[in-house]
Amino acid sequence: MNIRKKFLANGLFFVMAMWLSSRLLIAITMLLIAPLFPTSSAGVAATFSWDVFYAWDSFWYERIVTSGYDFSSQVKEMHAVAFFPLFSLLSRIIMFIGLPFKVAGILVNNGAFLAALIILYFWVQELYGTSTARWATATLAWCPYSLYGTVIYTEGLFLLCTTSALRAFDKKQYIWAAFWGALSTATRLPGVALIPAFMFVSWKERRGIKAYIASLTVGLGISLYSLYCQIKFGDALAFIHAQKAWRGDATGFAWEGWWKMLMQITVGPTNFKSGYIQDPLYPLLFLIIIGNGCLLWRFRLYLGMIKFRYGLYFLWLLLWLLTGDELVKIALVFGGIYLLWLSRAKIPLVTVAYGFSSFALILNTGITASAERYTYGIISLSMAFGLLLARYPRWGYLIMYFFGILMFTFSIRFARDLWVA
C-alpha cells in the first residue's frame, strides 16, 4: 500500500498521466471519431491514418525536409523560408532510421511536449509546491491549444526550449540559458522575446556580465538562420519578408481585427456584417446570458457558492455556444495579459518579463490570426494559472472539463483540415 501511494504521489507519474490522457483524447478523436463526420465543403474527409495530424503549417515543414528552403522577390507568394529550421532539422534526423516525415514530425513534437511538461512540473514544484505544479502542468496539457503539441507543428519543441531557457536563467545557469534560448530562436521567431526579458532581469537584479552575455547569445539561433538566408538568397531578413504573403503589409496593433471580433461576440456576425440588426435573436440571447450572470453575482451569497459556481459555468457554456471561438480567443489573449499582471509579484521576474515581451510581439503583428495559439506558447501563463487554480481548485476542475470539450471539438476540426488557430 505504501509503495502504491508513493507511486501515485510521484511527480513524474502525474506528468505522464496528464500527457498521456490528453494525448489519448486527441488521438482517439482524430483517428476514430473525426472520420465519422461527412466531408465538408471547406475541409477534407478524416481517415484512420497519419494524415489527420498533418494540415496547414505541416505542409511547409515537410517541404523544408524534402525540398529545402525557397524564396524569391515575389513576396506575395508563400515561401518555406518563413518557417524556422530546428523542427525540420530534428525531423530529418529521425527520418534517418527509416521513418516517414509524418511519423518523425509527430515524434519530435510529442516528445518535446512531454519533456516541456516534465521541466515545468519540477520547476514549479521547487518554487511553490506540489499542488501548484500539478495545476500548472494540467493547464499546459489540457488547454485545447495543446492540440498543437501533438500534430505536426512546433508548439511542443518551442515550449521545451523556452521553458528550459527560462528555468536555467532563473536559476542563474547561464550556459544552459544561452543554449536553450538559442534553440528557441532557431525554432520560432517569438523566441526573440527571451532576449529583452533576460536583458531586463540582468539589469534589474544586477546579475553581472555573464547574464548579459547569455541574454545576447539567445539570438544566436536567429542570427545563424539570418546568415543562411543572406548566403542562399541574398536577403538576411528573407524569413520576415516572406511572412508578408500571410499578413500582407499589416503592422502594429490590429485595431480593426480585434474590434470586429468584439462586435461579432456582442451583436453577432450577421448583424455586424449587415450594419444593422438583421438577426435580433442573437443580441437578445447575449443580453439574457449576461443579465443572468449579473443576477448570479448579485445574489451569490444567498444562493451559496456551489449553486453560484455551477450557474456561472452553465452560463459560460451557453455564451461559448452562442459566440464560438472568438470568445475563447479574446478571453485567452486579453485575460492572459490581465492574469500575468496580477501574478507579476508571485512568479519569477524573468517569466513576467518574457510574458509581456511575448504579448508585445503577438499584439503588434498587424493581424489577429493565430494570436491564441501563440499566447498558449507563453509558458508564464501556465505558471500563473497554476497558482490561481491551486488557490481555487473547484473552479479548476470545471475549467479542465471545458478544456476537454474544446480539445475534442478542435481535434475533429483539425483532422478534417478545418481552421482551428
Side-chain angles (χ1 to χ4, degrees):
M1 183 64 71
N2 289 334
I3 294 175
R4 183 173 177 269
K5 287 182 178 180
K6 287 181 180 179
F7 182 68
L8 292 175
N10 183 272
L12 188 59
F13 172 81
F14 179 82
V15 175
M16 290 293 295
M18 289 294 101
W19 177 81
L20 186 59
S21 59
S22 59
R23 298 317 95 185
L24 278 176
L25 174 61
I26 293 171
I28 291 171
T29 302
M30 297 180 80
L31 291 169
L32 299 179
I33 300 177
L36 302 177
F37 286 77
T39 306
S40 66
S41 58
V44 300
T47 59
F48 186 84
S49 69
W50 299 112
D51 292 342
V52 294
F53 301 99
Y54 179 97
W56 303 98
D57 291 357
S58 308
F59 162 79
W60 294 103
Y61 293 114
E62 182 180 30
R63 183 169 176 176
I64 295 167
V65 169
T66 57
S67 305
Y69 279 109
D70 64 279
F71 180 68
S72 73
S73 58
Q74 301 297 321
V75 294
K76 291 185 179 180
E77 299 177 7
M78 295 181 178
H79 298 286
V81 76
F83 297 87
F84 280 46
L86 186 59
F87 179 81
S88 298
L89 178 61
L90 293 177
S91 299
R92 181 59 181 164
I93 292 172
I94 298 294
M95 290 171 66
F96 283 144
I97 65 175
L99 295 175
F101 167 76
K102 290 175 183 176
V103 178
I106 291 169
L107 287 176
V108 169
N109 199 22
N110 281 271
F113 184 61
L114 173 59
L117 289 172
I118 293 172
I119 292 168
L120 174 66
Y121 179 91
F122 287 106
W123 183 21
V124 176
Q125 187 182 48
E126 289 175 7
L127 295 173
Y128 310 108
T130 300
S131 178
T132 303
R134 289 187 170 190
W135 280 113
T137 305
T139 297
L140 190 62
W142 279 95
C143 179
Y145 298 103
S146 73
L147 166 70
Y148 289 95
T150 288
V151 298
I152 305 173
Y153 264 65
T154 61
E155 257 63 23
L157 183 59
F158 186 73
L159 282 166
L160 170 61
C161 295
T162 52
T163 305
S164 300
L166 289 164
R167 179 181 180 275
F169 196 87
D170 184 50
K171 297 172 75 68
K172 300 181 180 179
Q173 299 170 348
Y174 297 124
I175 294 177
W176 284 112
F179 172 77
W180 287 109
L183 292 183
S184 299
T185 58
T187 302
R188 232 163 51 185
L189 182 59
V192 299
L194 289 169
I195 300 175
F198 287 180
M199 293 289 284
F200 173 76
V201 174
S202 299
W203 166 77
K204 184 72 174 177
E205 298 182 351
R206 299 179 180 180
R207 290 204 176 189
I209 190 65
K210 290 183 180 180
Y212 285 102
I213 294 173
S215 304
L216 296 175
T217 306
V218 168
L220 187 61
I222 194 171
S223 298
L224 290 175
Y225 185 45
S226 181
L227 178 62
Y228 167 83
C229 291
Q230 178 62 41
I231 295 171
K232 187 172 178 65
F233 306 115
D235 184 354
L237 299 178
F239 54 90
I240 292 179
H241 297 152
Q243 290 177 10
K244 290 184 178 180
W246 280 268
R247 60 179 177 85
D249 295 320
T251 56
F253 185 76
W255 292 100
E256 184 178 346
W258 291 111
W259 175 252
K260 177 182 177 182
M261 203 177 302
L262 184 61
M263 293 303 294
Q264 286 178 333
I265 290 173
T266 53
V267 302
T270 302
N271 296 326
F272 176 75
K273 187 175 181 179
S274 62
Y276 64 95
I277 303 300
Q278 183 177 345
D279 175 21
L281 182 60
Y282 184 101
L284 178 61
L285 290 173
F286 182 83
L287 289 174
I288 289 174
I289 294 171
I290 298 300
N292 277 286
C294 294
L295 288 174
L296 267 177
W297 178 261
R298 173 68 178 81
F299 296 103
R300 66 189 185 280
L301 297 179
Y302 298 97
L303 294 170
M305 284 306 298
I306 295 178
K307 291 181 180 179
F308 169 71
R309 187 183 303 113
Y310 283 102
L312 206 59
Y313 186 72
F314 178 69
L315 289 177
W316 172 263
L317 288 177
L318 291 180
L319 191 61
W320 167 65
L321 290 171
L322 178 67
T323 59
D325 289 353
E326 285 77 12
L327 177 67
V328 177
K329 187 170 190 170
I330 284 187
L332 181 60
V333 175
F334 294 99
I337 295 174
Y338 180 63
L339 176 62
L340 189 62
W341 175 255
L342 289 180
S343 307
R344 66 191 185 280
K346 301 174 184 176
I347 61 177
L349 179 61
V350 68
T351 61
V352 176
Y354 169 69
F356 284 120
S357 296
S358 297
F359 275 120
L361 285 175
I362 292 168
L363 295 177
N364 281 282
T365 60
I367 59 174
T368 61
S370 299
E372 66 273 45
R373 178 164 61 85
Y374 290 128
T375 297
Y376 166 73
I378 304 174
I379 198 65
S380 317
L381 296 183
S382 295
M383 186 178 288
F385 213 54
L387 280 168
L388 181 66
L389 297 186
R391 186 177 178 184
Y392 303 104
R394 293 186 179 180
W395 285 107
Y397 294 121
L398 294 177
I399 290 171
M400 292 302 140
Y401 292 140
F402 179 64
F403 279 178
I405 294 170
L406 283 180
M407 186 180 289
F408 177 80
T409 60
F410 285 2
S411 297
I412 291 175
R413 282 160 53 182
F414 191 93
R416 301 171 68 211
D417 257 13
L418 299 175
W419 179 254
V420 177

